[in-house]
């Protein structure tokens, strides 16, 4: 049975949002001092840094929603996320490219929080310093997607 590519993106988005917004129930404040714009810049930087380790010319194609802000469990906190398709990578190199990304993340302060390989190409990581999360996943058509999400923040920041 074939699974639609969209289900991989939807699952990835759910993992990102759940990871970014779930925490100690006693904690009601933002997990980061960043404001919405700063969180968006950090999301883009994490993605750009990760994609920079991939070979060749990789094109980032927006999955469709651009930079997305979503509510966390504690109002008015939000999380900011972004998803891209990675275009220009050969399908036969998916495993090697995922390994490159995971190596980059592990060497850059991220901890792997989920890895469904070899059954499914899906890896989730969290930055141990800033709490941002990232995932890489493959669609059934053989395209990789990359996502990044902020922890819960106050849209206006706390600085």
């Amino acid at each position: 049975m074939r699974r639609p590519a969209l289900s991989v993106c939807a699952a990835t988005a759910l993992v990102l949002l759940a990871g970014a917004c779930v925490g100690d129930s006693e904690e009601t404040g933002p997990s980061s001092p960043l404001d919405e714009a700063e969180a968006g810049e950090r999301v883009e930087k994490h993605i750009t840094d990760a994609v920079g380790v991939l070979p060749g010319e990789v094109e980032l194609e927006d999955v469709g929603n651009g930079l997305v802000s979503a509510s966390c469990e504690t109002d008015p906190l939000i999380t900011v996320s972004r998803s891209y398709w990675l275009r220009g990578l050969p399908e036969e190199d998916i495993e090697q490219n995922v390994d490159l990304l995971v190596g980059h993340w592990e060497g850059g302060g991220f901890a792997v929080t989920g890895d469904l390989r070899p059954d499914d190409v899906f890896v989730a990581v969290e930055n141990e310093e800033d709490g941002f999360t990232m995932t890489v996943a493959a669609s059934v058509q053989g395209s990789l997607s990359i996502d990044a999400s902020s922890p819960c923040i106050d849209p206006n920041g706390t600085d």
Side-chain angles (χ1 to χ4, degrees):
M1 175 167 34
R2 289 179 51 109
R3 293 175 288 158
L6 188 54
S7 67
V8 172
C9 291
T12 302
L14 289 174
V15 167
L16 285 171
L17 291 175
C21 294
V22 174
D24 185 340
S25 60
E26 309 247 341
E27 183 179 328
T28 58
S31 300
S32 171
L34 302 177
D35 66 25
E36 188 171 4
E38 292 167 332
E41 290 170 7
R42 178 89 46 99
V43 160
E44 294 290 351
K45 180 170 180 11
H46 280 313
I47 290 172
T48 302
D49 288 350
V51 172
V53 304
L54 297 173
E57 302 255 343
V58 179
E59 180 184 335
L60 296 175
E61 180 185 318
D62 193 24
V63 167
N65 296 324
L67 199 59
V68 177
S69 299
S71 296
C72 289
E73 289 180 8
T74 307
D75 203 27
L77 301 182
I78 62 167
T79 184
V80 179
S81 61
R82 184 84 188 243
S83 302
Y84 289 103
W85 290 112
L86 300 176
R87 301 296 187 204
L89 296 170
E91 184 177 341
E92 62 270 13
D93 294 341
I94 284 179
E95 290 178 28
Q96 295 89 341
N97 288 322
V98 171
D99 287 343
L100 286 171
L101 289 169
V102 172
H104 164 76
W105 287 327
E106 290 178 329
F110 284 84
V112 174
T113 58
D115 190 342
L116 302 181
R117 298 175 295 169
D119 297 329
D120 289 308
V121 179
F122 177 88
V123 179
V125 297
E126 181 175 353
N127 187 288
E128 297 171 316
E129 184 177 316
D130 66 14
F132 280 65
T133 58
M134 296 189 74
T135 65
V136 62
S139 70
V140 294
Q141 290 84 8
S143 295
L144 284 177
S145 64
I146 192 168
D147 311 284
S149 184
S150 73
C152 290
I153 61 164
D154 183 308
N156 300 311
T158 60
D159 285 342

